[in-house]
Amino acid sequence: MNRFYFAKTNKAAIFFAMALLPSGMVYSQVKKDTVTKEKKIDEVVVIGYGTQRKESVTGSVATVKGDALREVPSANITQALQGRAAGVDITQTSTKPGAAMQIRIRGTRSLTGNNDPLIVLDGIPFTGSLSDISSSDIKSLDILKDASATAIYGSRGANGVILVTTNRGSKGQKPKFTYNTFTGVQTLFSKYPMMDGEKFAKLRAYAVPAGTNTPLYNNGVDESNNTNTDWQDLYYKPAMMTSHDVGISGGTEGGNYNVGLSYFKQDALIPIQNYERFALRMAIDQQIGKVFKFGFTTNTNYSVSEGNGLNPGAILGYSPLANPYNADGSLKRTMITAGGIDQTWIYTRQGINGLGDKYIDESKSFASYNNMYGELNIINGLKYRLNVGLDYRTSNSGNYAGVGVFNTNPLGPSSAGRGNNQTYHWVLENLLTYDRTFGKHKINAVGLYSAEGNRIVSSYMSARNVPADFFQYYNLGQAPQADISVKPEDQLYIQNGLLSAMGRVMYTFNNKYMLTATLRADGSSRLAPGNKWHTYPAISLGWNITNESFMQNVKFINLLKLRAGWGQTSNQAVAEYSTLGRLGVVPYNFGNTNSTGVYVTEAPNANLGWEYSKTQNYGLDFGFFNSRLTGSAEVYRTHTVDLLTRKSLPISSGIASQTANVAESENKGVEVSLNGIIFDNPEGFTWEAGVNFYTNRNKILSLASGTDRDENNLWFVGHNINAIYDYQYVGLWQAGDPYQSILEPGTPADVTGSIKVLYTGGYNADGTPVRAIGPADRQIFDTAPKFQGGFNMRFAYKNFDLSTVGAFQHGGILISSLYGSASYLNRLTGRGNNVDVDYWTEDNTDAYFPRPGRHLSGDNPKYSSTLAMFDASYLKLRTITLGYNVNKEFLKDLKINSFRIYFTVTNPVVLFSAYHKLSGMDPEPNSVGNQNQAVTGYQARQLIIGTNNPSTRNYLMGLNLTF
């Protein structure tokens, strides 16, 4: 095994590259005042329903400043957060404009429930995503990772919490105007590595079944060996991306305000696809007298996505021998290839752009997130606060394809569909806070009672034979009544609620010894009577060794603090109404009467309850050499029990399954974050750097009914939740290999050059295998990397600065369906274009990929799913930015406070990646497992490289202006 998943990545090179990185931290400090605060060890951290000095925090909290996020210009601040915080794994689920990203904090806990963290915006649980918040508006992100930190948010915080604090004006501040913008071009990072005409013609000619002299497929009427069409060139085009953000902030003696407006648009490399977003934000705080304060925050956005139904999957399989043009130079509508077997509608940029009203696929979304609060000073140190959150989200999607569009039949009927979705969310929180210092004793106590509700309404309908293109999807009632479809399963109504009570006490003695204790109780409407409520505790301790008397003469240590925490959280991971069971809907006719029937698909469970996670966390925070070197190290273990999943029922019951609390999982790991200020001369040369790395070992401890595996869902006891179950590639069968006729029955002419997989069976006394290779030889592969992390560096000389942000991971399995069996792009038969691979021939017997046209299983080489596994290691620069701050003396005459211009390139460099070396592609996933595949191969929860939009390398120019 010399490559791919079993390849030996150049570990020495990775460690050498990491060794060159100076010590670093979670975020790079951009301004001098930030550095000064760090030296004083006085940074304030948001911890949920309050703040705390960083040196007093006893839970696991990572902080990323807004300035650091803005170092990575992007549509989604989640992209800017990648690699910034240890234990926070952020991965693409799609490369389409405006797509959300997957966030996992310290691994995956639930088998069937939501594993996304809770987002809290300015103190109120946020039902939107991070992509709904402009990076220009963010002051800081504080990420709560362990139970002692997240328990205050109860079941909503079971998967970690991201606290978003936005910029607000200051009391007495003169009005300040800011304008942040960037504009640039997105270029192709790399094409999908498909064969050109010459290579494909050679493959097709060589794909001859054993015992014949005729290739599996010959040229069709639209193909010629003299043709070499690059279909990707006819589909992709460099695309623009632009962002504009305007803000005004200020204050009076009694209050402050912040108002902003932002606009973002990103076009895709593929035709007509784009994402556009408008956002308005406003924050007002006002003091009335000495005892009362109130405030209001709103974040409203409107977005439009177009062309999301398009992807490059179809064109990748087009034969490069096919000519897309007619004799007169016009584009063909369809083409016939593979000896007449395949007739295909032709996708090109020119053709799709020319459809006009004949094609539309769009989604329009509006969301308004609104928080209000009132705060009353009762007596010295005692406050009452009322938080009210009112959110509304609506989205409308529609699609239309006219007569013959995307159809080989020019008279194929038109089709249209329309969906609507509304989400209503409210939250009411009553908070009582007591905060006083008595000599060496500091006490902060918080009591909470809250209620929260959600209501979701959605519907979808479709139609065929819409009479005119201009109707598109806006009036489906114009279609013939018999062609209008409103399915019962496409209409949805959901309502759920949560009641909570919480108490937390934080105690500090002499700034040396710290205690935080939390008790939370949640009641969920989703669970069965008798199991709706659960109460869980959390406690953490801290010892600030630095402030002990025996440390006073140790001048090089500024901070040395030990932390230990234990706590429990719960997760209401079950879908609404699961306690009642589930019904399926089926239409039927009784004679001439059409009706709808229902049947039981899942049995009810009156004992359905919470998933529980118990977490232990041990940490060390440190700062040396006047805080020139700071950081933290942590170890943790999370044990989750009563996991909700479907339990199979006896066939005699007539019902397939029941949702029950039946499984266990574990996550444990190590996290290290470092910060280094190597040179610190604000008037000359400054060099700052950071690095963080972390490990997470995730595994399932038990499943339903004492079984050790669930092959349908790919869950296996002792292995991680995203494991793969497949054969293990060990090479290719060569002529004369022993036991071939036993292990892989078939003629030598057919089997030689095909994939050989690991045999795990026994052997007879004479050394011969006892059986052929079969399903019992499949192996379980854990996909998680051994470790991963991120790094950043910033150099500054006078008014110039140069910064870079990167990420790395070592080990694990990367799934690329391009090379496996799921995408039909590596069939090695010559039917459709093939990924450019080094395949076996009589003159190339040491190849990695099998002989074309032999030993097939369906449309693919037998065991070809094993070809999809690669070593997932990589080291990647995400951005490089060069900036210039215009001289302040020059700006003073213009009455401008600051003016910065910068140039950024994103995705510039990939190193140490076996997949990138083979394919030239970005080694990060771009799809979920069941997306854009020719055949089912992977679970939706698994992230893969599929036939989604190609990755881009972006070149951006921007400016930041304040006056």
Side-chain angles (χ1 to χ4, degrees), residues 131-134 244-246 260-264 277-281 299-303:
S131 62
D132 293 322
I133 307 170
S134 170
H244 302 274
D245 190 286
V246 178
L261 181 67
S262 64
Y263 170 77
F264 176 83
R277 181 185 66 218
F278 303 84
L280 172 68
R281 62 186 185 277
N299 191 320
T300 301
N301 61 69
Y302 172 74
S303 63

Side-chain angles (χ1 to χ4, degrees), residues 324-342:
Y325 299 103
N326 295 304
D328 61 0
S330 60
L331 277 170
K332 295 177 181 177
R333 184 180 171 279
T334 62
M335 61 182 175
I336 297 175
T337 59
I341 294 177
D342 293 330

